[in-house]
Each structure stands twice: as structure tokens, then as C-alpha cells.
Amino acid sequence: METSRVIHAIYTDDDVLMAAVKKVKAERYHIEEIYTPFPVHGLDKAMGLAPTRLAITAFIYGCIGLIVATLMMNFIMIEDWPQDIGGKPSFSYLENMPAFVPIMFELTVFFAAHLMVITFYLRSKIWPFKKAENPDPRTTDDHFLMEIPVTGDEKKLQDLLFETGAVEVNLVNNTH
């Protein structure tokens, strides 16, 4: 296990946190993570995080669901066990496609939703029975925590964080 030193700066207001993030980024420090009790609008942009590509995977998963639905219904209702339901002939898939549209829609949504949840968990490294990584339980209530790795003059960084409105600054050994 690798041990590194990080500074945890605690804030009590989301607006103060946003201003602090902008100032810390302007001073060219790398912010490792920010823990908040609720989503803070614009924080991802202020941190300089790249936009997510999960929407692209959702579209791909929806297309996979549509293909699976089409192949499944063609095999079941046309090739394997054609049935005369309500006087509709089962000679080809295209003749019966209007009746299959609800199933196609539902399987498209089903595949997109379920595979997106799995992708999100894998991408976020959230496994069943995984120990929580929250460094300070107060961040689930009313505090905000900014985690910055110590790479240079830690006193200068601590002073900067107090300038930005941090109510508490702690030097912590972080184990990865």
C-alpha cells in the first residue's frame, strides 16, 4: 500500500467552497477529491473535470436492447413458433412489427437502464461490501471537504486554504 500526505480543508458553506476551488486551481494546485453533503452545481466545471461519456454508453446500450428485442421477437414469433393471434399472419417480421413496437421500446429502456447502472458502479469502483472512503463523517451532514495532495510547501498551501475560508485544515497520511 502506498502512503501519501494530503491536506483536508473543511468548509461550512458551498459558495465559500466554490470560491476556494477557483482560487486553489488558479494557484495551480491539484484537487484530488471534494466530499459534499449534496450536489454543488458547477463544482465539476470549477475543478476542471472532463465531461462524462456515460450518455454515449447509454445510447449504445439502448441500441443493443433494440437489436436483442428484434432478434428475440423474430425468432420466437416468426421462426420458432409462429401463431395466428387475432387473425394476424406470421409470415414475416415486418408484417407484425407494429405489434412489436411496445416490446422493442421496453427492452431498449431495460437494457439502457440496467447496463448503465452496472457501468456506473464499475466506473465509480463501487463494489458490494466495499468499505466507505469518506474521510470525515461530517461531510454527510453539513460540511464540505477538499482533499489536496501535498507536493511542495505545505505551510504555503495551508495558509492559502485558510485565506479561502476554510474553518479547519488537517494534514493526513492517506493510504491507497
Side-chain angles (χ1 to χ4, degrees):
M1 286 195 164
E2 182 184 323
T3 302
S4 60
R5 293 169 14 134
V6 295
I7 287 185
H8 288 169
I10 305 287
Y11 296 87
T12 55
D13 184 68
D14 57 331
D15 293 327
V16 174
L17 173 73
M18 280 294 282
V21 167
K22 290 174 184 171
K23 190 163 186 176
V24 167
K25 291 301 278 184
E27 293 288 327
R28 304 234 183 256
Y29 286 103
H30 172 70
I31 299 172
E32 188 67 36
E33 189 66 71
I34 295 182
Y35 298 89
T36 64
F38 54 83
V40 178
H41 181 69
L43 188 59
D44 52 342
K45 240 180 222 174
M47 287 179 65
L49 298 177
T52 180
R53 295 184 303 261
L54 285 176
I56 296 167
T57 59
F59 177 75
I60 292 169
Y61 295 153
C63 290
I64 291 170
L66 182 63
I67 290 167
V68 167
T70 303
L71 293 174
M72 179 189 76
M73 289 181 300
N74 184 59
F75 177 74
I76 292 171
M77 297 300 292
I78 307 301
E79 294 174 19
D80 185 43
W81 196 352
Q83 298 177 39
D84 185 356
I85 300 171
K88 296 178 185 172
S90 297
F91 300 127
S92 73
Y93 181 82
L94 287 176
E95 285 178 319
N96 292 309
M97 197 174 84
F100 295 154
V101 168
I103 300 166
M104 293 162 55
F105 172 77
E106 291 299 331
L107 279 179
T108 299
V109 172
F110 179 86
F111 269 68
H114 286 79
L115 292 175
M116 278 302 300
V117 168
I118 292 168
T119 301
F120 175 76
Y121 285 152
L122 292 174
R123 184 75 178 101
S124 300
K125 297 178 182 153
I126 300 175
W127 318 113
F129 310 109
K130 182 180 182 209
K131 187 178 177 288
E133 294 180 7
N134 192 348
D136 193 328
R138 294 177 294 176
T139 61
T140 62
D141 188 19
D142 61 351
H143 285 65
F144 304 84
L145 185 142
M146 183 189 312
E147 184 177 270
I148 305 170
V150 177
T151 54
D153 185 6
E154 71 184 56
K155 177 75 173 122
K156 181 181 170 190
L157 177 56
Q158 287 178 335
D159 291 342
L160 171 69
L161 293 169
F162 277 120
E163 272 177 39
T164 62
V167 294
E168 187 180 316
V169 175
N170 303 314
L171 184 62
V172 180
N173 286 330
N174 194 14
T175 306
H176 291 202

